[in-house]
Amino acid sequence: MSGLRLMAVHAHPDDESSKGAATMARYSAEGHEVLVVTLTGGERGDILNPAMDVPGIRERMSEVRQEEMAEAARILGVRQQWLGFVDSGLPEGDPKPPLPEGCFAAIPLDEPVRRLVQSVREFRPHVMTTYDENGGYPHPDHIRCHEVSVAAYEAAADPDFHPELGEPWAVSKLYYSHGFIRKRLELFREEYERRGEPFPMEQWLNKWRTEQGDIMGRVTTQITCGDYFPKRDDALRAHATQIDPNGSFFAVPLDIQQKVWPTEEFELAKTRVSTELPETDLFAGIEDGQGK
């Protein structure tokens, strides 16, 4: 063991497998400790895989999602912890309906921050990953996940913040994970054009509004992890209620992904150590065993 620890904070079960999963699998395989903290139980998730929309699944959604999460964590080689908040669901309509009473995105910020601070002080990660201020996409739980993670990053190091939650711990670095990158899809399309084959995500790419820009401009850190894409995909498929094995996640074959774009992308949001950008390692600037 190197003594280095990574905590990935996510809103729902399945988020860990679609955002930075290959990076986690790589670090775990290299002997680092990796903990996924899942803020909600994903109780309000829709069944997005037609094969799982069968009697008995929806009625026990909470239990099913726990089983799926356990299998995904096993595949990735990571530990996982539930913080126990209730999924807010994704409000739809114009105007959008109010959030359900008592859900994660509707309760005061203090309680989830306290619980995450306790997890940070117990696990003592050198690096945390979470979502940016837009949540990666504007799901209320993802935006709240960002708010809670940033607040906990600061509060965990403050000896005056709820000292009963454990000894203060200063996380060295906080990253935002970035997965929706237009340039990645454009390079995939170029590879298909070289092969003389139709690009299976052409319609998806054409819907991308160019005025949104490309998040790649914010990326500071790229982790080479193409060898772990198969584990990422297996972990995704483990979330069988949420992930359609015939869906867009798997439209581009692994050999093309590994050749054209074998990295996952992150943005260094906060750091307490010196590092040089761009980076190729989330632990850059942190000595082995630092802060044990």
Side-chain angles (χ1 to χ4, degrees):
M1 295 297 296
S2 70
L4 297 180
R5 296 177 293 277
L6 169 64
M7 174 184 281
V9 185
H10 289 283
H12 311 105
D14 77 66
D15 288 329
E16 84 295 326
S17 295
S18 61
K19 302 166 185 66
T23 295
M24 292 194 298
R26 172 187 159 177
Y27 281 129
S28 175
E30 291 177 350
H32 300 284
E33 294 182 69
V34 182
L35 175 66
V36 171
V37 177
T38 312
L39 298 176
T40 80
E43 301 89 348
R44 290 191 168 97
D46 292 328
I47 297 178
L48 302 178
N49 178 3
M52 292 295 291
D53 197 0
V54 295
I57 295 296
R58 197 176 300 275
E59 293 80 4
R60 53 188 292 268
M61 181 65 82
S62 294
E63 183 181 350
V64 169
R65 300 215 68 184
Q66 289 176 21
E67 294 167 354
E68 292 174 343
M69 181 68 251
E71 176 62 8
R74 184 195 67 77
I75 291 167
L76 295 174
V78 304
R79 293 166 51 194
Q80 188 264 344
Q81 178 185 36
W82 301 98
L83 276 207
F85 296 99
V86 177
D87 185 0
S88 305
L90 182 58
E92 295 180 308
D94 188 15
K96 289 183 172 61
L99 292 171
E101 185 177 353
C103 72
F104 176 57
I107 62 175
L109 195 64
D110 181 64
E111 178 60 21
V113 170
R114 285 195 292 112
R115 288 200 211 173
L116 185 54
V117 164
Q118 184 172 3
S119 294
V120 169
R121 289 177 178 175
E122 289 173 352
F123 182 63
R124 301 185 300 167
H126 299 91
V127 170
M128 287 175 61
T129 65
T130 190
Y131 317 139
D132 68 11
E133 66 281 0
N134 299 310
Y137 77 105
H139 189 298
D141 286 341
H142 283 238
I143 294 170
R144 177 51 60 94
C145 178
H146 161 82
E147 295 167 348
V148 170
S149 300
V150 172
Y153 173 87
E154 300 293 349
D158 182 357
D160 295 326
F161 184 86
H162 291 281
E164 75 279 4
L165 299 178
E167 290 294 318
W169 178 259
V171 181
S172 295
K173 301 166 86 176
L174 175 69
Y175 287 91
Y176 302 151
S177 61
H178 290 304
F180 300 108
I181 296 174
R182 181 181 176 88
K183 183 64 175 177
R184 178 172 173 264
L185 291 185
E186 290 174 342
L187 291 178
F188 288 161
R189 180 169 61 183
E190 290 176 12
E191 178 65 19
Y192 272 87
E193 289 173 350
R194 279 192 290 271
R195 297 180 180 212
E197 300 174 7
F199 182 45
M201 300 186 72
E202 186 70 38
Q203 187 175 9
W204 202 89
L205 183 57
N206 289 339
K207 289 181 180 178
W208 196 308
R209 299 199 308 273
T210 55
E211 66 268 18
Q212 289 176 311
D214 194 346
I215 203 71
M216 193 63 194
R218 293 178 56 168
V219 168
T220 61
T221 310
Q222 292 186 274
I223 308 300
T224 300
C225 52
D227 289 346
Y228 297 91
F229 286 176
K231 283 186 176 291
R232 174 203 64 191
D233 285 5
D234 286 346
L236 273 168
R237 283 186 283 262
H239 291 284
T241 58
Q242 305 298 299
I243 304 297
D244 184 348
N246 300 309
S248 60
F249 275 116
F250 312 105
V252 178
L254 283 176
D255 65 311
I256 293 180
Q257 295 186 48
Q258 291 166 327
K259 172 188 175 183
V260 174
W261 198 285
T263 61
E264 289 181 336
E265 282 64 45
F266 298 85
E267 174 186 354
L268 180 60
K270 292 178 178 287
T271 183
R272 294 183 168 104
V273 298
S274 297
T275 184
E276 293 185 9
L277 302 182
E279 300 173 317
T280 58
D281 181 7
L282 297 182
F283 295 118
I286 303 171
E287 296 180 9
D288 283 3
Q290 179 175 323
K292 264 188 168 182

